[in-house]
């Protein structure tokens, strides 16, 4: 059991927030490790963000997760920002120091890499080029993580080419941009394929980019996890590729924050996965 002078509080802020599974995730860990702490969802309107953040440390909070629409705005409110959060341009994890100072970090890239290694133990970023579909906020975290872990080339296709070009400008020469109409061509010879777009989510278009050029040796992952097995993952599996669903990224990205807030590094287990899936 981890002991604290006060019962530590943490949570997740967003607007809306009712859909979040984070309380089930962190609640499972708190119970499993016998930690006297609490994790709560907080629906915070944008106009109340700064006032709320400044008040939370005084109310006993040691930190919080951040989701839409606050992930970019909290960077300007934080007293210090990690290099990766600054590079990505968004934060999903805040740590409150005893004196009220706020530290902002982004653990999405960590969660992405940890999930890939968990679901495909033989995967390595340096095995070959990666193909990334989408160029939004999630893509920024994925591209950053792939480059940091040694990926030699990251190919990006986005429906709006300008957003992909912006990533090339910011992340450098290892980024290669493909026109959306030519997205199928970027699959040739890749070791990793990642869908960071909303394609395949309920009420959105399906993922219809051809995988004909995709090697059977490629590892394929989809950040969409509703449904858990997307059309992309089904088609990739039928081609013989190793596939990794995106739900594990949600679980793994929570590990660093929990450790900072509650003083114990938690494990991502099959039991945790089932608990959060059923939440």
């Amino acid at each position: 059991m981890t002991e604290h002078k006060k019962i530590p509080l943490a949570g997740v802020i967003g607007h809306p927030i009712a859909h979040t599974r984070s309380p089930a995730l962190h609640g499972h860990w708190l119970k499993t490790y016998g930690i006297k702490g609490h994790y709560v969802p907080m629906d915070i309107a944008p106009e109340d963000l700064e006032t709320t953040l400044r008040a939370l440390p005084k109310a006993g909070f040691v930190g919080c997760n951040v989701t839409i629409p606050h992930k970019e705005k909290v960077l300007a409110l934080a007293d210090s920002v990690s290099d990766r959060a600054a590079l990505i341009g968004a934060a999903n994890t805040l740590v409150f120091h005893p004196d009220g100072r706020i530290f902002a970090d982004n653990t999405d890239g960590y969660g992405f890499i940890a999930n890939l290694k968990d679901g495909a133990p033989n995967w390595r970023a340096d095995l070959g080029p990666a193909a990334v579909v989408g160029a939004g906020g999630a893509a920024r975290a994925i591209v950053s993580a792939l480059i940091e872990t040694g990926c030699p080339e990251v190919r990006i296709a986005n429906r709006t080419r300008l957003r992909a070009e912006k990533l090339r400008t910011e992340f450098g020469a290892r980024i290669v941009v493909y026109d959306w109409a030519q997205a199928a061509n970027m699959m040739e010879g890749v070791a990793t394929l990642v869908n960071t777009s909303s394609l395949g989510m309920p009420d959105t278009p399906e993922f219809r980019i051809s995988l004909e050029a995709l090697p059977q040796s490629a590892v394929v992952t989809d950040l969409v996890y509703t449904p858990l097995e997307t059309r992309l993952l089904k088609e990739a599996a039928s081609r013989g590729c190793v596939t990794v669903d995106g739900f594990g990224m949600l679980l793994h990205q929570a590990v660093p924050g929990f450790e900072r807030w509650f003083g114990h590094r938690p494990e991502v287990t099959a039991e945790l996965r089932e608990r959060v899936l059923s939440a």
Side-chain angles (χ1 to χ4, degrees):
M1 181 180 292
T2 301
E3 295 294 339
H4 295 267
K5 293 180 180 178
K6 296 181 180 179
I7 295 178
L9 306 176
V12 55
I13 60 173
H15 184 67
I17 202 64
H19 64 285
T20 182
R21 302 193 195 201
S22 292
L25 166 54
H26 290 274
H28 176 86
W29 281 334
L30 288 169
K31 182 178 179 180
T32 298
Y33 301 117
I35 297 171
K36 291 181 179 179
H38 298 283
Y39 185 99
V40 296
M42 295 173 280
D43 192 326
I44 308 299
E47 60 269 23
D48 298 325
L49 180 61
E50 182 171 7
T51 301
T52 302
L53 281 183
R54 297 301 175 193
L56 287 177
K58 299 175 184 178
F61 280 80
V62 291
C64 67
N65 288 124
V66 185
T67 188
I68 295 171
H70 303 317
K71 296 179 76 169
E72 293 80 23
K73 294 177 182 176
V74 294
L75 289 183
L77 300 176
D79 298 289
S80 58
V81 178
S82 71
D83 290 342
R84 58 188 173 187
L87 182 62
I88 293 165
N92 71 339
T93 303
L94 302 180
V95 177
F96 302 144
H97 294 286
D99 61 2
R101 289 181 301 115
I102 300 171
F103 169 70
D105 194 11
N106 191 306
T107 64
D108 283 336
Y110 166 84
F112 168 74
I113 297 296
N115 185 44
L116 270 183
K117 290 181 176 179
D118 192 17
N122 294 324
W123 177 85
R124 294 204 327 263
D126 61 358
L127 290 177
V132 175
V133 177
R140 297 179 66 86
I142 293 339
V143 169
S144 176
L146 286 169
I147 290 175
E148 184 179 345
T149 50
C151 186
E153 178 180 289
V154 180
R155 304 168 183 175
I156 303 176
N158 189 61
R159 281 168 285 192
T160 304
R161 182 183 172 103
L162 187 62
R163 296 189 76 176
E165 294 283 5
K166 186 177 181 182
L167 289 181
R168 180 167 63 181
T169 300
E170 295 180 14
F171 287 97
R174 278 192 272 178
I175 307 300
V176 180
V177 176
Y178 283 70
D179 283 330
W180 185 248
Q182 303 296 320
N185 295 340
M186 73 173 179
M187 306 296 177
E188 186 173 351
V190 302
T192 312
L193 169 59
V194 189
N195 176 37
T196 72
S197 75
S198 60
L199 294 175
M201 292 180 65
D203 302 320
T204 64
E206 284 283 8
F207 187 102
R208 298 189 182 280
I209 299 172
S210 173
L211 301 184
E212 283 300 313
L214 184 70
Q216 290 185 345
S217 58
V219 173
V220 180
T221 187
D222 197 332
L223 269 56
V224 172
Y225 57 81
T226 305
L228 200 58
E229 187 179 24
T230 61
R231 173 177 174 152
L232 167 61
L233 295 183
K234 289 179 181 178
E235 187 175 345
S238 72
R239 293 181 58 79
C241 298
V242 173
T243 62
V244 181
D245 68 58
F247 193 73
M249 178 176 163
L250 172 71
L251 307 179
H252 283 284
Q253 63 81 29
V255 169
F258 186 94
E259 182 178 21
R260 288 167 176 163
W261 303 326
F262 299 112
H264 184 98
R265 187 167 184 84
E267 293 184 14
V268 174
T269 61
E271 181 184 4
L272 172 71
R273 180 181 171 94
E274 290 306 312
R275 170 67 184 87
V276 181
L277 273 173
S278 63

